[in-house]
Amino acid sequence: MRPRPIWEISVRVPRPVLAAAAAGALLLVSACGDAGSSGTEPEPEAGGSTEANLEVCAPIAGEELVVLEDDLGLQTVDNIIPAVNAEAVAEDDQMIDLLDQVSAALDTDILIGLNRAVDVERQTSTEVAAEFLEAEGLTEQEDVGDGASVVVGAGNFSESATLAELYAGVLSAAGYDASTQTIGNRETYMPALQDGTLTVIPEYVGTVTEFINQSVNGADAEAVASSDLEATTAALTELGAEVGLVFGEPSAAQDQNAFAVTTAFADEYGVTTLSDLAESCAITLGGPPECPERPFCQPGLEEVYGLEIDEFTSLDAGGPLTKTALQQGEIAVGLVFSSDAALGA
């Protein structure tokens, strides 16, 4: 799994690790970390169940897990996006165009498959990226790089490493001298990207927006990332200009906080969205110990969706405890990360 922030957008860095949580915290810890999302307090919305005391939907065991759609936008967007040193591309618009080709080829289901190939099937990120680029026709590029050196950074989790290999692969195919370098968490790699030690790194729209926002405007800065991808990307572009960064096009692929059930549960109760679930029944929820206090976990489900939580089980943030509890029928709904290798389409 990845060490990433999940409670506060600003805390997100490398894959899963529970983020320590205060709105101004920029360090992530190890269980809920990096890939997490959410940086603003959700406004209560009309939605979900208005009935009290619904019957409890019993958990149903099953191996395959599926995410319920966050149809009312509880979570902040965290789409994959290339972050690039502005000086490196000041006279080279070809590089951004090439990175955007990778963005266009990815969606969340594809990202899950890439993660599964690395995390479950134990292929290397290099192998998986090379196979994907070949299959997508992204290795057939005009030679525009003219041997220019490009260093693609990666966070210290497998998803970031695979994305970095995708970026390096498409750039190499276009004639750049591209290499990859794993360089730790966001607090470590962001200065290296800004000073040009790194040329490009795969980022997450919502999380990096709040990271830069708090760097520029202070730890108490009002959050500008939201569930609106276009608005958040626009805010990110403006913030990036202040710190010497430019960004490519966001991918459809997201790695954010999500709520999963077994496919057997989804089929039995006919639910595909969190609104469906809230209208159907009360549930047992599993997640990290902080979930009952965090606005993007239990309180958000209750306030935004009107979901009735019959019982909460303290487990982990998208880790093996939560996924095993879902698969064994110990909980009905669990907090996961939307690109986890264990998820089904």
Side-chain angles (χ1 to χ4, degrees), residues 74-85:
L74 171 61
Q75 307 297 339
T76 300
V77 293
D78 249 343
N79 300 62
I80 310 300
I81 192 169
V84 190
N85 177 274

Side-chain angles (χ1 to χ4, degrees), residues 37-104:
S37 40
S38 316
T40 59
E41 294 266 335
E43 293 289 331
E45 300 183 38
S49 172
T50 57
E51 309 247 350
N53 302 316
L54 292 172
E55 291 186 9
V56 176
C57 283
I60 300 178
E63 283 301 309
E64 188 170 10
L65 307 179
V66 63
V67 163
L68 296 179
E69 180 188 350
D70 178 18
D71 53 309
L72 295 182
L74 171 61
Q75 307 297 339
T76 300
V77 293
D78 249 343
N79 300 62
I80 310 300
I81 192 169
V84 190
N85 177 274
E87 290 187 6
V89 294
E91 299 179 0
D92 182 4
D93 55 3
Q94 302 288 335
M95 189 184 301
I96 293 287
D97 291 342
L98 290 160
L99 297 170
D100 286 347
Q101 291 182 36
V102 177
S103 291

Side-chain angles (χ1 to χ4, degrees), residues 19-39:
L26 294 179
L27 291 180
L28 33 104
V29 275
S30 127
C32 196
D34 209 337
S37 40
S38 316

Side-chain angles (χ1 to χ4, degrees), residues 25-318:
L26 294 179
L27 291 180
L28 33 104
V29 275
S30 127
C32 196
D34 209 337
S37 40
S38 316
T40 59
E41 294 266 335
E43 293 289 331
E45 300 183 38
S49 172
T50 57
E51 309 247 350
N53 302 316
L54 292 172
E55 291 186 9
V56 176
C57 283
I60 300 178
E63 283 301 309
E64 188 170 10
L65 307 179
V66 63
V67 163
L68 296 179
E69 180 188 350
D70 178 18
D71 53 309
L72 295 182
L74 171 61
Q75 307 297 339
T76 300
V77 293
D78 249 343
N79 300 62
I80 310 300
I81 192 169
V84 190
N85 177 274
E87 290 187 6
V89 294
E91 299 179 0
D92 182 4
D93 55 3
Q94 302 288 335
M95 189 184 301
I96 293 287
D97 291 342
L98 290 160
L99 297 170
D100 286 347
Q101 291 182 36
V102 177
S103 291
L106 294 173
D107 61 25
T108 302
D109 285 342
I110 288 171
L111 186 57
I112 289 170
L114 296 174
N115 287 335
R116 184 180 297 120
V118 174
D119 297 338
V120 178
E121 299 168 8
R122 299 305 178 189
Q123 300 180 56
T124 68
S125 290
T126 304
E127 293 168 341
V128 170
E131 182 178 347
F132 178 78
L133 293 172
E134 182 70 29
E136 293 296 314
L138 296 179
T139 55
E140 300 298 323
Q141 302 288 347
E142 183 181 352
D143 189 345
V144 296
D146 197 27
S149 178
V150 174
V151 181
V152 182
N156 55 358
F157 57 102
S158 61
E159 178 176 285
S160 186
T162 302
L163 291 167
E165 292 291 347
L166 289 174
Y167 288 173
V170 75
L171 291 170
S172 294
Y176 291 88
D177 179 14
S179 60
T180 60
Q181 180 180 349
T182 300
I183 196 168
N185 62 20
R186 183 170 287 104
E187 287 72 23
T188 302
Y189 67 64
M190 190 58 73
L193 184 63
Q194 290 172 276
D195 69 20
T197 302
L198 299 177
T199 313
V200 58
I201 197 163
E203 263 294 2
Y204 300 85
V205 171
T207 299
V208 72
T209 297
E210 287 311 309
F211 184 92
I212 299 174
N213 183 29
Q214 293 186 11
S215 297
V216 170
N217 299 314
D220 296 326
E222 181 179 354
V224 293
S226 70
S227 60
D228 185 324
L229 177 59
E230 184 176 353
T232 304
T233 304
L236 175 59
T237 300
E238 291 184 10
L239 287 164
E242 297 189 48
V243 295
L245 301 179
V246 296
F247 296 87
E249 290 295 319
S251 169
Q254 288 208 69
D255 183 356
Q256 63 179 166
N257 301 337
F259 293 95
V261 297
T262 62
T263 53
F265 180 98
D267 291 343
E268 174 67 22
Y269 296 109
V271 295
T272 60
T273 70
L274 289 171
S275 289
D276 290 342
L277 184 64
E279 293 167 358
S280 300
C281 51
I283 56 96
T284 55
L285 174 67
E290 295 84 354
C291 181
E293 287 80 44
R294 302 304 182 191
F296 290 88
C297 203
Q298 183 172 337
L301 290 173
E302 292 171 335
E303 293 169 16
V304 173
Y305 286 98
L307 184 63
E308 290 187 31
I309 311 297
D310 180 65
E311 180 181 353
F312 173 73
T313 300
S314 180
L315 298 165
D316 56 13

